[in-house]
Structures are given as structure tokens and as C-alpha cells.
Amino acid sequence: MTLVDRPTHVRAEVSGRGVHLWWGDRSADLHPHWLRDHSTEPGQIEATNWQRLFTPLDIPADLYVRAAELGDQVLVVDFSDGHRAHLVLATLARDLGWTADPDAPPAPEPWTEPLAEFPYVDWAGIGWSDEESDNDAVIAFLDAFFRHGYVVFRNTPVDEGTVARIANRIGYISGQNFGWVFDVRAEPNPTDLAYTTIELLAHTDEPYRIEPPGIQLLHCIANEAPGGDSTLTDGLAAASAIGAEHPDWHRALSEVEVDFRYDMGTDTVVNRGTVLQYDRHGRYRGIRFNTKLDTPLPRPGDDLDAWYAGRRWLTEWCNDPAHQVTFRLEPGDVMFMDNHRAMHGRTAFDASRGRRHLQGCYIEHNGPDTMYRLAVRRRAMLSR
Ligand SMILES: [Fe+2]
């Protein structure tokens, strides 16, 4: 546990059944069960994995705090069940949201025009293991990804299957209805519009899954056909923009339930949800935007005029070159993008005049989140 600088003014006293804690200009009543659950005394947690060994049934429901006093970096609490716990103040402050999680990745930064510098990442700095990587390069890659929602790796092998190795270097590959790894190229009987040569407007992948894929990787093996340039737009910025300019349309896209459906007859994948997702604190959670396969499910009071106007507005905004970055994938490049935020597309291409072959797969968000936290801890250890 990293100890953080304590403000000079820290004070604790028993209050009701719990403890009132003052921390600088903040203070809170801490519930006795919340405090008890923070105990890391011997026998309370397993020493290797730090998971709690006691259950709610082991603690009296009417638990209360008998005494509380501050020690060196700890709050010492005596509970009515006879347990005494030395609670690390830095942990309590972090879990109360009073201090930042020292390992947490940076917050997203919405962008409404191409970044001043395209976020290319040389794969040589990431490597195939922690031992062969440059830890600062790993942190720089993840920092750019979390801020902007995408990066493009350069200088990866051009062999088929590379995308799966890269996925498993950063997280764990997650399969879906196209398998573990899918090939993006023109097919005679396409199971998705991606497997044609037509233009694809800005979209997110697989909104029809109960949990849409977290992060998509697209590895370029060949890109010799005229056309086929890639585009990316920031769905987070798009959501903010429509919220500021057209609150009614934003509300409809956040509230009207939509049926997202992939139906090949042989393979049917269905999910229902809203285009824009926020949690109950109003924090952005994601966008499902794919006008090829969305159908609103109106309920009494739903404003479909607003929903369709908002969908049209998003389609225009997200495909406006002023808001998009357009670039060309070269063999050995891997686009790495947050599918809950970065909306991708491509221009049409002429398959009769050259080969275009990408391989793709998905991982979940925990992959880069975990990689970032471990890299930051490694940097802290190395600097000691
Ligand atoms: Fe796609």
C-alpha cells in the first residue's frame, strides 16, 4: 500500500455506532460494518490474495465501535465483537474518494478533431513479455490509450495470427460470434458488411452483445487495394457535443431502449439497451452506435422524433472529416481502440486492384487497466 501525505488536520472520534473522521477539510461518518470490513489483521484476510476470510454472518448485525484513536498512519478501532483493527488511513481516504487511486489510469480526454500528433506506438517498446519491454514505453502507450481511446502499434510482425499474440500480451482474447480471430476482407457471401468492399460509416462493433466487446484490435496484413482508409471518431466527444447542443435528442438517445440484433438465421445475437449509456451519477459508460442493426422499442412517452433526429445528428457529426482522424493502415500496423468510445469506419476499396486483409479480435478493458496498474507499481519500485 502506498502511503499518501496526510493533511495536518486528521481527527477521529466515536460517533453513534461508528466513527467520525476528519481529513483536512473533509469529514464523514464511517459505518461500523464498513470499518470492520477494512480489517487486515491476521486471520481476517488470506495473506496471498488479500481476500476477506470472514463472511457477513460472522459479524454481529448490531456491531458498533467501542473506541477509536489515531496511530501512526492508522486508525485503531475497537469493535463490540472484541476485534481490534489497525486500519490504514491512506486506504480509508482512497476508498472514501478523498485521495486518488495511485495506480488508476488517466481519465479520458474527449477530442473533437485529430490529435496534434498521431498516437503511433512502436511495438518494440512493448515487446512480448514484461522482461523484454521498456516499462516507460508501456506506461506511455497506455497513457495515450486511456486519454484518447485509441493508439496504433507499428512494427509488429505481418504474419497471420499476430493479432492474437498481441491481444494476449495486453489482456486475454475474448471470443464472440465470429470466433477468436476474424478476417476482414471481401467475401463472396459476407456474414457482416465489414466483409464487403463498401464504405463503413463510424460505428461501434457488436452492440447486439449483452456486453459489447471492450477493445478491438485490427492488424493489417495487406492493404494494397485503392481506398480502404481507416477512420476514427471520439464517441465520448460526440455524446458531450449532442448533450450540449441538443439536450432533448441526447435524452432520447440515453433513454429509449433499442433492439440491437445480428441475425444470420444460423446465428442470432440480440441485446437491448440505449445508444448512449451513463451510470446513475451521470458518468459516461459507453456508446452503442451501429445504424445497420438498431431498432428502437418505443414505450408510451418516448419521443421517437427526438431519437431519430439525434441518430441523424450523430451520424453527421461522427462522419464529419473535421471531427475524424483518417489514416491508412500499413502492413504490421495494429489499430487498438476502445469499442465503448472510439468509433471506427473505413472508406470503400477496390478489391479487383489489390489485396486488403486485416485480422481482428477483441479483449476486455481489464487487460490494459491491469497492465497500467502493474507498470506504475513497477516504476515506483524501480525508482526506490
Ligand atoms: Fe467494425
Side-chain angles (χ1 to χ4, degrees), residues 77-332:
V77 181
D78 287 300
F79 293 93
S80 57
D81 63 351
H83 185 70
R84 166 175 275 208
H86 298 72
L87 308 175
V88 178
L89 281 167
T91 304
L92 302 184
R94 182 200 65 192
D95 290 353
L96 288 164
W98 291 350
T99 57
D101 179 350
D103 304 330
E109 296 173 5
W111 50 272
T112 56
E113 58 186 37
L115 303 174
E117 193 172 340
F118 192 92
Y120 282 119
V121 174
D122 188 344
W123 184 252
I126 311 305
W128 298 105
S129 67
D130 289 344
E131 290 69 35
E132 68 178 61
S133 72
D134 170 349
N135 198 54
D136 289 339
V138 169
I139 292 173
F141 138 53
L142 293 164
D143 190 82
F145 169 70
F146 285 112
R147 287 181 196 282
H148 310 310
Y150 76 99
V151 298
V152 172
F153 297 122
R154 297 223 106 157
N155 303 318
T156 76
V158 182
D159 317 329
E160 291 191 20
T162 294
V163 74
R165 294 180 64 206
I166 290 176
N168 285 325
R169 165 72 178 116
I170 301 168
Y172 295 99
I173 194 167
S174 53
Q176 32 67 53
N177 43 303
F178 298 107
W180 297 104
V181 170
F182 50 89
D183 290 280
V184 182
R185 57 190 164 194
E187 305 271 7
N189 297 303
T191 55
D192 190 279
L193 288 180
Y195 309 148
T196 66
T197 61
I198 66 172
E199 177 188 30
L200 300 176
L201 296 185
H203 65 280
T204 60
D205 271 9
E206 310 206 2
Y208 43 76
R209 301 196 73 78
I210 291 169
E211 281 295 330
I215 292 162
Q216 181 175 195
L217 293 84
L218 274 178
H219 177 226
C220 179
I221 291 167
N223 200 4
E224 294 147 14
D229 289 348
S230 298
T231 66
L232 283 168
T233 314
D234 188 2
L236 170 60
S240 300
I242 194 170
E245 292 186 30
H246 301 285
D248 290 352
W249 301 353
H250 181 272
R251 190 176 311 116
L253 292 168
S254 308
E255 291 180 357
V256 176
E257 197 168 46
V258 178
D259 178 291
F260 295 100
R261 185 175 292 256
Y262 173 88
D263 197 343
M264 284 277 298
T266 53
D267 191 1
T268 305
V269 192
V270 179
N271 183 42
R272 290 179 174 187
T274 55
V275 170
L276 300 176
Q277 294 111 48
Y278 295 88
D279 66 18
R280 68 187 184 87
H281 302 292
R283 288 178 297 212
Y284 173 90
R285 282 288 175 252
I287 182 168
R288 291 188 182 96
F289 196 69
N290 198 319
T291 57
K292 297 179 293 189
L293 34 77
D294 55 347
T295 306
L297 303 166
R299 289 169 197 229
D302 280 350
D303 185 349
L304 281 197
D305 279 347
W307 190 88
Y308 278 105
R311 179 175 178 249
R312 172 179 285 273
W313 189 95
L314 275 183
T315 304
E316 280 182 349
W317 196 96
C318 294
N319 292 286
D320 181 339
H323 301 138
Q324 275 187 329
V325 57
T326 302
F327 56 101
R328 190 165 184 82
L329 288 172
E330 302 293 344

